[in-house]
Amino acid sequence: MPPQKANALGRRSDAVLANLATSLADELGLHETLNCVVRCAAELLDARQVTIGVCRGDNKPGWTDVLQVESGDSGHAAIGAELLLDELSRLSLSHRCQLFGQSVLALPIVVAELQLGVLAIVPAADIVEPLEPEIRRALQVICLHAGLAIRNAMRMARERRRLARLQLVANVGQLINRGGNPLMLTLQLAADAIHEVLEYPNVDIPLVDADDPTVLVIAVRGGGYKRIHREDRIRLDQGIMGAAARTRTTILANDVQRDPRYIPPPVPHPSRAEVAVPLLAGDQLLGVLNVEGDGPFDELDQLTLEAIGRHLALAIENARLVSEQQTNAIQEERQRLAFELHDSVTQALSGISLLAQALPSAWQKGQAEGLRASARVAELAQLSVAEMRTLLHELSAAERQNHSTRSRRAIAPVGLDRLKDGGLGAALPKLLGVLVPPQIRVECDFTSYIPQSLEHEQALYRVFQEAASNLVRHSGATQMLMVAKVEPLLVKVSMRDNGRGMGSDKPDGYGFRSMRQRLERLGGALSLRVLQPHGFEVQATLKRHDRALPL
């Protein structure tokens, strides 16, 4: 290539990449980022048309045409709607080929050896291959930016999907443990929540007939089946629901037409996929949670429904215990578990939600900031999963045999183990480091504190977990001070901030009621105080119950 032409191409590609870098310096979403990429590719090659196709996320072959830019008087239609992945995988960095009857320059969008899509360019004039190094280098950078944007968007979509399912499990748990509602109303609310949050078209929660254990009675429905105003009955030797009930195992069928156990429902357009989860109390079958949709369902769907199924099984078993004159004990258990769900999983999920909303901004600031924010999301997600697993284990029917010896003891959830070895002075600052974002300066003073009994420190830990969560969500504070000390007869722990107070929460709200009851159960007290000119203080007081930490 003549030096003059090479220099001109170099200046042109540098200008295009500079424009791209300037555009991406702003905080852009996926659509805006890919639009910048498309415009730069069109400018670089003076293209008539540029299309970005993104590989589907549903495990089906092909890519979806999502963005297109045209220049000049081309009159060309979009380049097709689907390109098989095996054909796409054969594309080199620059590959001139015939796709859908048009001559295009197709470039795969790849990040970390993962095929994410394709950049298809219809040039205004013939391009001599191989491409000039300057053009080739610019196209590599353009495809890299497109790939990073697509990958980050996919990660965020997966994270939102996981969080929605975790939140649903927590909500159903709170719904069930709140108590006060008849069993059938509780199951109906759960079916509605499953349909509305996860958008499954049809939900059934049949229960075993009390008079005939070989029959499931379908009276609770969600979604489209809710319009069926009648009670249906199905034998355990019929259908996918019956198979799940007989085998006591979850059945996932992503192509029901090929499943010999499937019985088509009497509706015009039956679903194509079905998941049936048996509801069990130990070895006793209580019913089935059955969900239908156009699918396909995956492992996350199954795990979510199984977690919800355990909550539903608990609700049914609790109703039976109520009928056996154990109302008071069951109500106490539900309240206790509801507090644990609120104070542990819900708080972690609230932190995840806040961090997830800030993730795009963090990544725009730089890789280091994005990695730090992502690490905090992962840490909180792991904490919430661990807490949920502990609570589900607590709710399992096998553990209920020890109920009489547990009912007066506080649960020792995952995340509190460090209290045993290091005491509150080691555990609480660690918790605050996870829950409180770095823009809030945290100071802890435990110099005058002596470790207390494990039961007392667990209560203090949960109280200030709730207090810290309220501070992060409502106060707008920039500073927080935690002080713990012992007096001759009492131990006092306080948290104060420089924010605007409780926000939307009230002293008689669920969170503060949980905090107060934890302390009162141990003979302690909770006090709340508005500071002047601004700020808020939460103080917990308990009788001293010193303990010696292990060496």
Side-chain angles (χ1 to χ4, degrees):
M1 178 190 305
Q4 220 171 10
K5 183 177 180 182
N7 291 336
L9 286 174
R11 288 193 299 271
R12 181 176 182 180
S13 62
D14 289 344
V16 169
L17 293 180
N19 291 336
L20 179 62
T22 301
S23 300
L24 297 181
D26 298 329
E27 296 181 1
L28 302 177
L30 174 64
H31 188 84
E32 293 83 359
T33 299
L34 294 185
N35 264 325
C36 289
V37 168
V38 166
R39 284 195 297 271
C40 288
E43 180 182 352
L44 182 67
L45 294 176
D46 190 24
R48 290 199 309 254
Q49 179 180 296
V50 179
T51 301
I52 288 182
V54 178
C55 290
R56 293 172 176 170
D58 56 5
N59 298 321
K60 294 180 180 179
W63 56 275
T64 303
D65 181 16
V66 294
L67 286 176
Q68 177 183 317
V69 169
E70 297 182 10
S71 59
D73 186 16
S74 66
H76 282 279
I79 301 176
E82 187 174 276
L83 177 65
L84 293 180
L85 283 179
D86 58 353
E87 183 177 356
L88 179 61
S89 65
R90 292 195 294 269
L91 297 180
S92 61
L93 178 63
S94 62
H95 186 80
R96 188 65 176 269
C97 58
Q98 288 286 330
L99 292 177
F100 312 105
Q102 298 188 67
S103 179
V104 301
L105 184 67
L107 301 97
I109 298 173
V110 179
V111 175
E113 299 183 356
L114 179 65
Q115 189 84 55
L116 299 177
V118 66
L119 178 67
I121 304 171
V122 179
D126 288 339
I127 297 176
V128 178
E129 292 195 68
L131 295 174
E132 292 84 354
E134 293 81 2
I135 298 297
R136 189 181 184 87
R137 177 176 59 85
L139 288 173
Q140 285 178 319
V141 175
I142 288 172
C143 285
L144 176 61
H145 281 295
L148 292 174
I150 295 169
R151 184 185 65 176
N152 292 340
M154 288 179 172
R155 286 178 175 176
M156 288 297 297
R158 287 194 297 268
E159 188 63 28
R160 284 193 296 269
R161 184 168 177 260
R162 283 193 293 268
L163 291 179
R165 280 150 174 76
L166 283 173
Q167 186 66 63
L168 176 63
V169 174
N171 290 345
V172 171
Q174 289 179 338
L175 167 67
I176 290 170
N177 289 288
R178 186 182 304 140
N181 290 329
L183 173 63
M184 300 307 287
L185 176 58
T186 298
L187 296 180
Q188 185 60 63
L189 292 173
D192 292 339
I194 294 169
H195 165 66
E196 292 165 6
V197 176
L198 302 185
E199 299 181 348
Y200 297 142
N202 301 311
V203 181
D204 284 327
I205 308 180
L207 301 181
V208 174
D209 191 332
D211 298 323
D212 185 355
T214 66
V215 172
L216 293 171
V217 180
I218 308 176
V220 177
R221 296 180 169 94
Y225 285 170
K226 197 173 181 179
R227 295 190 295 267
I228 303 175
H229 300 290
R230 69 172 186 271
E231 184 177 278
D232 288 330
R233 300 168 66 85
I234 181 172
R235 296 198 312 271
L236 265 60
D237 60 355
Q238 294 179 324
I240 292 176
M241 279 190 286
R246 287 194 315 276
T247 61
R248 307 294 202 270
T249 59
T250 299
I251 293 179
L252 188 154
N254 277 329
D255 188 353
V256 294
Q257 298 299 330
R258 297 188 178 186
D259 195 313
R261 299 166 296 189
Y262 177 66
I263 299 177
V267 294
H269 304 289
S271 300
R272 293 184 293 180
E274 185 172 350
V275 180
V277 178
L279 306 180
L280 304 171
D283 292 331
Q284 183 181 8
L285 177 69
L286 305 177
V288 175
L289 170 60
N290 192 77
V291 172
E292 297 178 7
D294 292 332
F297 296 113
D298 59 16
E299 183 181 9
L300 182 59
D301 292 310
Q302 179 175 333
L303 292 174
T304 302
L305 292 172
E306 287 175 342
I308 294 173
R310 285 189 284 269
H311 282 300
L312 297 180
L314 174 68
I316 299 167
E317 182 67 6
N318 281 350
R320 293 191 177 194
L321 293 175
V322 168
S323 67
E324 296 171 2
Q325 305 303 315
Q326 297 185 17
T327 304
N328 293 336
I330 294 173
Q331 188 65 30
E332 181 182 348
E333 184 79 347
R334 286 176 172 175
Q335 186 67 52
R336 180 172 64 90
L337 292 171
F339 282 158
E340 292 297 334
L341 280 166
H342 178 272
D343 293 346
S344 56
V345 179
T346 302
Q347 304 305 345
L349 289 173
S350 296
I352 291 172
S353 178
L354 290 173
L355 285 170
Q357 294 174 37
L359 270 180
S361 176
W363 278 105
Q364 291 293 337
K365 292 177 182 177
Q367 184 179 15
E369 186 68 22
L371 289 173
R372 279 194 295 270
S374 299
R376 284 176 56 80
V377 171
E379 188 173 0
L380 278 174
Q382 291 168 1
L383 174 64
S384 64
V385 170
E387 295 276 13
M388 180 58 70
R389 284 175 177 168
T390 300
L391 289 170
L392 291 174
H393 180 69
E394 178 73 14
L395 292 169
S396 67
E399 292 297 318
R400 297 185 66 85
Q401 296 175 358
N402 298 323
H403 172 74
S404 60
T405 61
R406 286 196 333 259
S407 59
R408 300 297 177 184
R409 290 192 284 113
I411 301 174
V414 173
L416 302 186
D417 288 347
R418 64 182 71 93
L419 285 173
K420 298 178 183 178
D421 299 325
L424 195 67
L428 207 47
K430 177 69 173 178
L431 173 71
L432 297 179
V434 175
L435 289 182
V436 180
Q439 61 265 29
I440 300 178
R441 185 163 62 88
V442 179
E443 296 181 18
C444 295
D445 183 3
F446 284 80
T447 55
S448 300
Y449 177 77
I450 296 175
Q452 300 297 297
S453 70
L454 187 58
E455 186 178 24
H456 283 208
E457 289 199 329
Q458 286 173 355
L460 291 170
Y461 183 97
R462 285 306 193 202
V463 165
F464 287 99
Q465 180 181 20
E466 168 67 17
S469 178
N470 270 289
L471 179 152
V472 171
R473 287 183 285 127
H474 301 308
S475 75
T478 59
Q479 298 178 6
M480 189 190 81
L481 174 63
M482 170 75 70
V483 179
K485 61 182 179 180
V486 292
E487 298 178 353
L489 299 177
L490 300 173
V491 56
K492 293 183 177 179
V493 184
S494 66
M495 175 187 291
R496 61 171 58 191
D497 64 64
N498 65 346
R500 54 179 172 267
M502 293 179 294
S504 60
D505 214 344
K506 299 293 187 294
D508 59 346
Y510 193 88
F512 285 112
R513 191 167 77 248
S514 167
M515 297 160 67
R516 184 172 287 108
Q517 290 187 16
R518 284 183 183 278
L519 296 171
E520 291 176 350
R521 192 182 299 121
L522 299 173
L526 177 75
S527 65
L528 310 173
R529 185 163 66 101
V530 177
L531 306 178
Q532 298 298 332
H534 47 72
F536 192 73
E537 182 182 65
V538 177
Q539 184 177 81
T541 304
L542 284 172
K543 293 181 181 180
R544 281 186 64 170
H545 201 291
D546 298 356
R547 70 175 168 121
L549 292 177
L551 297 177

